[in-house]
Amino acid sequence: MIVVGGGYGGATAAKYIKKADPNVSVILIEQNKHYYSCPLSNPVLVGMRDLEVQKWGYEGLKKHGITVVHETVTGVDTGAKKVTTAGGVFSYDKLVLSPGVSFNYDAIEGYDEAATKTMTHAWKAGPQTAILRDQIDAMKDGGTMVLVAPPNPFRCPPGPYERASLIAHYFKTKKPKSKLIVLDPKDKFSKFGLFQSGWEKLGYKGKYLEWVPAGEGGKVTRVDPKTNTVYTEMDEFKADVVNVIPPQKAGKVAFLAGVANDKGWCPIDFKTFESTMAKDVYVIGDSSAAAGLPKSGYAANSEAKVAAAAIIASLQGKPAPMPTYVNTCYSILAPNYGISVALVSTLKDGKITKLSGGLSPMEATPAFRHQEALYAESWYQAIMNDTFA
Amino acid sequence: MIAGGVAMNADEARADMASGLAMANTCAGCHGTDGMANGPAMPNIAGQPANYLIPVMKEFRSGERYSTIMGRIAKGYSDAEIEALSKAVAGWKWTGGAENPKLAMKTGETIAMVKPALAAEGEKLAKEMKCTKCHEDGGKSTEDDMPRVAGQHLDYLLFKMEDYKDEALKMPQPKKMKKRMDKASAKELEAISHFWAANK
Ligand SMILES: Cc1cc2nc3c(=O)[nH]c(=O)nc-3n(C[C@H](O)[C@H](O)[C@H](O)COP(=O)(O)OP(=O)(O)OC[C@H]3O[C@@H](n4cnc5c(N)ncnc54)[C@H](O)[C@@H]3O)c2cc1C
C-alpha cells in the first residue's frame, strides 16, 4: 500500500488501513516534514492564534507502524504500478492519492507563482500564512485590503468568508479606519445567510467589510503585483494588502498519474473512491470529484475511511461495504461567535445522497454561538488527533 | 437486524453492511479516535453505556434534547443504525485521555482549566447535594443508563450545567436530578464540574 500526501485525507487513510489490518504494509509519501493545517489558520492571520498550534508531525503515524517517506512524488505509472520520487521508485498493489489542490495560474492575468510572494494566496497553510499575517499586522490604520475570492469548486467553500469576517473583526477592534474589500466572481456562497446576518450583527458590513459580488463587478481579470493593484472588468483597486485565492484544480500528482479529467478533478466510484480512470488507484480529499461532498478536511477524513474500508475488503476478496459519510465545517466570525454546517450522507442510486444536516439556526442566542466557537476548536483538536496521532 | 430470508430495507442494509463500527468511526472527527475527544469542549463518548447512548441519540434526533449540532447529525440515522453505532461506541474504552499539549498554546478561544481548590470544594458539594447518589464512584459510574462524567472535558461539563439550569431548553433529565439542579447555584455546579473533570 502506498499513500501519497500526508494531509487530512492521506494521513487518515494510512492510519485507518493500519487500524483495520496491522499486517498490511503502508508507506506514506509526503514532501514536507511538518503539516500545517488550513482549518483554523484564518484566526492566525489576525493574531488570534499561534501558527504553532497548526503544526503537526508524523511521529504519531510512525507509531502505528506506517513507514513515512519524506520525498516529492515526480511520477506515477498506473500500468506498471510504480511511484517515482527523487529518493527512489516504489511499487504498490493499491495506491491512495490525496495531494490536495493545485492552483490554476492561467486564470487571472499577472497572477503566477512568483506573484504569490507578495500577493499571497495563504490557501495552503505554513509560510504563506505567516507572510499574510505579517502584512496585515504591518498595515497602517486607514489602509485598504483586497481579498479576491475563487470561483467554484474550491477547497473549503466557507473559508474565504470566515477569513473576511476575522479581518473585519481585527480592523474593527485594532485599526478602525481600515477596510476590507472582497471581490467575488460569484453571487452567492456557502452559509450565505448566516454570514450576511453575522456581518450585520457584528457591525462589519459596509464599515469594515464590503463584499462585491459578480453581479456588481466582483470578477477579477488582472492583477499587478508591482503596484499592488487589482483590476475587475470595470474598476481598479490599489490596496495595501492583497490576498488572491486563485481558481483551483486537483493536486499535481493527479495529473502525473493521469487520473484527472478535463475539468481538472478526479472522477471516482462513489462507493470506494477508486478512480474510474485507473485500477487500484484511490483518489480522496480535495482532488476527487466527489459530487455531494464539499472539499473540506472533514470530508477528506470521511472519504479516507471509506477508501480504507474498501481497500481492506478488496484485499480480503470481499465486496466493499456500504459507505457512510459525515462532514461538518465550522466558521468563526469573531471570538465566541461560531457557526456551522453539517452533513450526513450515504450512497443511494449510485450517488452521494444527503440524509441530514444543515446550518446553525439564523436566530440563536449568544450562548449558542459561543458554544459553537468552542466546539470549532474541539473539532480541530479531535480531527487532528484522529488524523495524525 | 438481519431477519433470515426477509429482504432488508435500505436503512437496515446500511446498519448491517456498514457495520456499527464504520458508522461510529465517522464520529471521530468530533469525538476523537475511538470516542476519546481531545478537548476543550466536545464530549468523550467512549464506553458510555448503550442504554444511555441510544435514547440520547433518539432525543437529539427528535429535538427533545437541546443541542447545537447533534440534532442535525442524528437525523441521518434510523433506529437500527443508532442501535448499531451506539453498540460500537459503548464497546470502546474510556482511556483516561492523554493531555493535549496544543491546548496549552494560544488557540484564540478562552479555554477553562481545572482549578484544584475548586475541584476539592466540588467533591464536597457533590456529596452534600446528593449528586453522588446516582453519579456514583466519583462520577465514574456507567451503570445502566448513567453516563460517565468523571474525566469529561471541563468546558463540556460547564456547558451542560448551564443547559440543565436553563428552563427554556427543557433538557430531559431524571426528576430527582432536576430537583437538585433547581436548588444548586451556578457557582456550586461550576465547582462540581471542576471536580468531575479533574477526577480522571
Ligand atoms: C483557510 C482555510 C480554512 C479551512 N477550514 C476548514 C475547516 O474549518 N474545516 C474543514 O473541514 N476544512 C477546512 N479547509 C479545507 C481543508 O484544508 C482541505 O479540504 C483539506 O486539507 C483537504 O485534504 P487533502 O488530503 O485533500 O489535502 P491536504 O490536506 O492539502 O494534503 C495534501 C498533502 O499532499 C502533499 N503533497 C502534494 N503533492 C505532493 C507530492 N508531489 N509529493 C509528496 N507529497 C505531496 C502536500 O504536501 C500535503 O501535505 C480549509 C482550507 C483553508 C485554505
Side-chain angles (χ1 to χ4, degrees):
Chain A
M1 270 287 324
I2 293 187
V3 180
V4 176
Y8 277 87
T12 306
K15 172 172 164 179
Y16 273 81
I17 287 166
K18 268 289 186 198
K19 251 171 88 74
D21 187 349
N23 295 322
V24 178
S25 125
V26 180
I27 301 174
L28 175 68
I29 309 180
E30 162 59 46
Q31 60 194 0
N32 297 321
K33 287 256 155 58
H34 294 284
Y35 181 79
Y36 283 90
S37 164
C38 286
L40 287 172
S41 68
N42 284 329
V44 175
L45 297 175
V46 294
M48 270 167 66
R49 189 179 180 83
D50 287 341
L51 189 53
E52 270 305 292
V53 193
Q54 303 302 108
K55 185 179 170 186
W56 297 81
Y58 293 90
E59 290 69 33
L61 293 178
K62 288 180 196 158
K63 279 194 199 126
H64 290 282
I66 295 157
T67 306
V68 182
V69 177
H70 291 293
E71 293 285 356
T72 301
V73 170
T74 52
V76 180
D77 182 340
T78 58
K81 295 191 152 185
K82 284 190 193 324
V83 172
T84 309
T85 72
V89 177
F90 300 83
S91 297
Y92 65 82
D93 293 314
K94 299 270 183 193
L95 176 66
V96 176
L97 300 179
S98 192
V101 290
S102 60
F103 299 124
N104 198 342
Y105 285 119
D106 312 324
I108 300 173
E109 195 188 329
Y111 198 72
D112 54 15
E113 198 157 0
T116 65
K117 292 208 175 75
T118 53
M119 283 185 167
T120 58
H121 54 75
W123 217 241
K124 293 185 183 183
Q128 280 276 309
T129 315
I131 301 174
L132 182 55
R133 175 197 62 197
D134 294 346
Q135 287 175 342
I136 293 172
D137 184 51
M139 196 184 98
K140 62 177 193 301
D141 191 10
T144 303
M145 174 169 172
V146 168
L147 190 163
V148 181
N152 292 326
F154 62 98
R155 134 181 299 186
C156 195
Y161 311 98
E162 177 189 61
R163 178 173 290 181
S165 307
L166 290 173
I167 292 168
H169 168 75
Y170 171 79
F171 288 164
K172 185 181 163 191
T173 50
K174 301 267 169 59
K175 293 177 181 163
K177 289 196 258 26
S178 313
K179 189 167 185 175
L180 172 71
I181 298 166
V182 180
L183 299 174
D184 207 325
K186 309 181 292 302
D187 284 316
K188 238 189 145 196
F189 51 80
S190 167
K191 305 180 193 165
F192 190 75
L194 280 170
F195 273 113
Q196 295 286 330
S197 96
W199 291 348
E200 195 90 57
K201 283 193 189 111
L202 292 162
Y204 300 161
K205 205 171 194 158
K207 200 154 182 213
Y208 305 104
L209 171 57
E210 189 187 332
W211 175 65
V212 186
E216 290 166 29
K219 187 177 164 25
V220 169
T221 52
R222 179 160 80 89
V223 298
D224 183 354
K226 282 202 197 74
T227 57
N228 243 11
T229 310
V230 176
Y231 299 86
T232 60
E233 268 147 21
M234 348 177 177
D235 242 326
E236 61 176 80
F237 300 83
K238 197 169 156 44
D240 299 281
V241 178
V242 178
N243 173 217
V244 180
I245 305 168
Q248 292 153 41
K249 56 189 178 188
K252 199 172 153 199
V253 174
F255 294 91
L256 294 176
V259 294
N261 63 18
D262 54 3
K263 293 203 181 84
W265 304 100
C266 305
I268 38 90
D269 173 341
F270 296 126
K271 191 171 183 191
T272 57
F273 275 76
E274 185 170 357
S275 167
T276 55
M277 296 172 75
K279 216 177 129 31
D280 294 324
V281 181
Y282 297 74
V283 188
I284 56 173
D286 291 346
S287 283
S288 67
L293 292 174
K295 298 193 184 301
S296 77
Y298 205 145
N301 174 281
S302 214
E303 293 163 13
K305 289 169 186 172
V306 169
I311 288 167
I312 294 290
S314 153
L315 292 175
Q316 294 169 347
K318 292 184 189 152
M322 196 65 173
T324 172
Y325 311 95
V326 172
N327 176 64
T328 303
C329 289
Y330 282 101
S331 304
I332 310 288
L333 278 64
N336 293 333
Y337 194 112
I339 57 174
S340 65
V341 59
L343 178 70
V344 177
S345 44
T346 189
L347 194 70
K348 263 190 194 146
D349 305 325
K351 288 194 187 118
I352 297 174
T353 307
K354 176 174 170 174
L355 292 167
S356 76
L359 299 159
S360 317
M362 277 294 274
E363 296 308 323
T365 59
F368 192 106
R369 301 278 192 242
H370 173 217
Q371 288 195 0
E372 288 222 279
L374 215 53
Y375 285 140
E377 177 66 53
S378 287
W379 166 82
Y380 172 74
Q381 301 289 349
I383 199 161
M384 293 319 281
N385 277 283
D386 192 41
T387 306
F388 287 101
Chain B
M1 266 169 297
I2 312 170
V6 179
M8 291 186 285
N9 69 32
D11 287 342
E12 275 170 341
R14 198 166 75 108
D16 176 51
M17 286 167 70
S19 87
L21 183 61
M23 276 188 281
N25 276 342
T26 65
C27 315
C30 290
H31 292 290
T33 304
D34 301 341
M36 286 309 288
N38 301 88
M42 274 164 185
N44 299 325
I45 55 173
Q48 296 289 28
N51 282 346
Y52 170 69
L53 295 167
I54 294 168
V56 163
M57 289 293 286
K58 289 181 182 169
E59 288 165 7
F60 280 141
R61 188 175 63 184
S62 68
E64 203 181 321
R65 179 174 294 257
Y66 160 82
S67 70
T68 56
I69 203 161
M70 280 308 296
R72 287 178 266 157
I73 290 178
K75 283 190 188 68
Y77 302 92
S78 67
D79 281 0
E81 288 165 357
I82 285 180
E83 277 155 33
L85 69 86
S86 295
K87 277 179 198 143
V89 172
W92 283 334
K93 275 211 163 44
W94 187 296
T95 53
E99 292 301 320
N100 180 358
K102 295 270 175 191
L103 284 183
M105 299 176 190
K106 182 169 136 200
T107 56
E109 296 294 333
T110 318
I111 293 165
M113 296 288 169
V114 170
K115 296 187 187 120
L118 205 51
E121 200 185 315
E123 181 166 16
K124 270 190 255 149
L125 284 168
K127 266 201 206 94
E128 277 168 35
M129 297 166 65
K130 300 205 176 82
C131 308
T132 49
K133 280 253 167 189
C134 302
H135 297 279
E136 289 173 291
D137 198 10
K140 287 186 180 153
S141 167
T142 51
E143 216 162 286
D144 194 24
D145 63 347
M146 180 57 64
R148 179 181 169 136
V149 283
Q152 188 55 278
H153 297 292
L154 179 54
D155 274 310
Y156 183 68
L157 290 170
L158 293 170
F159 282 162
K160 285 304 119 177
M161 296 292 188
E162 273 174 30
D163 294 348
Y164 279 117
K165 284 287 276 187
D166 188 339
E167 290 294 333
L169 300 182
K170 297 200 179 72
M171 289 285 282
Q173 55 184 309
K175 270 207 188 83
K176 286 183 180 157
M177 174 162 140
K178 176 150 179 22
K179 249 199 199 148
R180 289 165 169 82
M181 280 281 174
D182 286 345
K183 271 192 236 147
S185 71
K187 269 256 153 269
E188 287 166 335
L189 293 177
E190 185 188 352
I192 295 174
S193 303
H194 278 252
F195 164 54
W196 281 339
N199 193 28
K200 299 205 165 129

